[in-house]
Amino acid sequence: LYALSCERMARIATALGESSDAEAWRERQRKAAVAINAQCFNETAGAYADGPASSHCAQHNSIFALAAGIVPRERVPRVLEFVISRGMACSVYGAQWLLEALYLQDAADAALDLLLATHDRSWWNMMLQGGTLTWEAWDWRYKNNLDWNHAWAAAPLNIAARYLLGVQVAAPGGCELEIRPQPGRLRRIAGRVPTLKGYVE
């Protein structure tokens, strides 16, 4: 996520007219991307390893690389295939980045499968267990001292607005919006998304 943070900082600096700061942040992102791709990509698995000396490839490593946009184009199909094959192996926290990664690669149906899943690593399961707010973990068996009101678990809310309905801010203050719905196999979607300039329906 460091590379992604650098990219976001570059955007902020650009919006503020701080071009030298923006370039410095972009350079940090480039260096991080080069290092991660050179030292952490596992060619055999088609995924990113836990570190330079590790052969283990946890799902979240590849999720973060895809979400940060640092996976070289020729590697994207294999990394995406690896990520999708693991389902919802990540934590509730990681689910935000998993869904981001899938939608950024136009894998809308794979993302929709996870949003609508009914297994124990799903938002459906939280409701089934009596949750009225999103939980810290998927289920009691994964964390027996979980709390019941974790904002980081509410990924479907922002994902539905930003990717499923496709309403995203394209310029500071919401002066420009990009609207690119990704309904996947859904035949109909409707929504009302708040922005600083009013609602988009």
Side-chain angles (χ1 to χ4, degrees):
L1 291 180
Y2 171 75
L4 180 61
S5 298
C6 290
E7 186 271 334
R8 299 290 163 86
M9 289 299 292
R11 279 198 222 176
I12 293 170
T14 299
L16 294 173
E18 301 291 343
S19 56
S20 60
D21 280 354
E23 183 51 39
W25 284 111
R26 279 192 288 269
E27 181 59 22
R28 289 185 182 104
Q29 183 198 23
R30 281 193 290 267
K31 286 181 178 178
V34 167
I36 290 167
N37 279 298
Q39 299 180 46
C40 297
F41 186 71
N42 182 313
E43 190 65 49
T44 304
Y48 287 83
D50 297 356
S54 177
S55 61
H56 182 259
C57 298
Q59 185 191 40
H60 65 265
N61 303 320
S62 294
I63 291 169
F64 293 153
L66 283 170
I70 63 170
V71 180
R73 185 174 299 172
E74 66 276 8
R75 288 180 179 169
V76 167
R78 291 188 68 205
V79 175
L80 186 60
E81 180 182 4
F82 173 86
V83 166
I84 292 172
S85 75
R86 298 307 188 266
M88 192 71 87
C90 62
S91 67
V92 176
Y93 168 80
Q96 170 71 45
W97 302 105
L98 170 56
L99 294 169
E100 292 251 3
L102 293 174
Y103 277 112
L104 286 170
Q105 298 304 324
D106 295 319
D109 281 333
L112 190 62
D113 287 342
L114 296 177
L115 286 168
L116 301 179
T118 58
H119 47 64
D120 64 347
R121 301 178 75 85
S122 69
W123 291 277
W124 174 268
N125 184 60
M126 290 182 196
M127 292 187 288
L128 197 63
Q129 300 303 319
T132 56
L133 295 170
T134 51
W135 290 0
E136 180 184 8
W138 292 119
D139 195 277
W140 295 100
R141 67 194 190 119
Y142 297 114
K143 191 174 193 295
N144 62 13
N145 65 339
L146 62 86
D147 69 52
W148 290 8
N149 59 341
H150 248 66
W152 77 15
L157 294 177
N158 79 80
I159 292 293
R162 293 169 51 235
Y163 293 106
L164 189 60
L165 292 167
V167 179
Q168 296 204 32
V169 173
C175 293
E176 292 179 21
L177 299 173
E178 177 184 18
I179 302 176
R180 189 172 77 90
Q182 295 188 62
R185 66 180 179 276
L186 293 178
R187 294 183 178 182
R188 180 181 178 277
I189 57 173
R192 191 168 188 246
V193 181
T195 76
L196 289 174
K197 299 295 183 180
Y199 287 98
V200 177
E201 296 194 27

